[in-house]
Amino acid sequence: MRLPAITATVLLVAVAGCGGSSAAPVKRAADPPRSAPVAAPKRHPKPAGKQVKVSGSAYGRILFDSRGRALYLFTHDRGTRSTCYGACASAWPPVLTKPGPRATGAVKQSLLGTTRRRDGTSQLTYAGHPLYYYVGDTRPGQVLCQAVLEYGGYWYVVRSDGRAVR
C-alpha cells in the first residue's frame, strides 16, 4: 500500500508547483509562447502636396494656396525652370510642395505640376509656370505686389487658366 501514498505525494508536489503560490508560473513545453497582441500596422497616407484653390481678389479670380496666400508667376522664368534664387527667392519665396499637388474648386488638376530646384526641393508649377509667394503678403487674400518689375522680370498673380493677370 505504499504505492498509493507515493502517488499521492507526487500528485501534491505537482499541484503545488503549477500555481497557488506567489511564485512565477512554471512554463511547460506544451504551453504556447505568450506575447502581446500584435497591432495592425498603422497606415500613413502619402504626404499630400500643396493644395491650390481659386478665390476672388481685386484682380479677379486668381490662384491661392490653402491658407489664402496669393500665388505669383515670374516672367523671367523660362519654361518650368525657376530663375529666382538668392535675394530674389528671399523676396519671392518659391511655393515648395511634396509630390502630388491638389486642385480644388476651379483649379485644373491637369495644369498642376512640380519642378526641381537646384537644392533638390520641389517647386509648384501651374500651366508650366513656377509659382511664388510675395514675402510682403502676410494676410489671407492680400496681393501687394501685382505687375511689379523686379529681378529681371514682372510678377503677376495667376488666373485659373494659367495666364498672368496683366
Side-chain angles (χ1 to χ4, degrees), residues 7-8 14 16 22 32 40 46-47 51 54 59-60 62 68 73 81 89-90 94 136 142:
T7 305
S22 61
K46 283 188 171 181
Q51 187 174 355
V54 173
Y59 302 98
I62 61 171
L73 65 78
R81 292 285 179 191
S90 292
Q142 194 170 37

Side-chain angles (χ1 to χ4, degrees), residues 85 96-97 115-123:
Y85 290 91
L96 300 179
T97 187
T115 188
R116 185 170 298 281
R117 293 181 60 77
R118 291 190 298 218
D119 64 2
T121 57
S122 291
Q123 183 174 358

Side-chain angles (χ1 to χ4, degrees), residues 60-97:
R61 296 187 54 75
I62 61 171
L63 299 183
F64 290 90
D65 73 2
S66 61
R67 294 182 178 170
R69 294 193 63 196
L71 304 179
Y72 296 81
L73 65 78
F74 183 37
T75 61
H76 189 59
D77 287 340
R78 297 293 174 232
T80 61
R81 292 285 179 191
S82 174
T83 59
C84 183
Y85 290 91
C88 176
S90 292
W92 297 91
V95 179
L96 300 179
T97 187

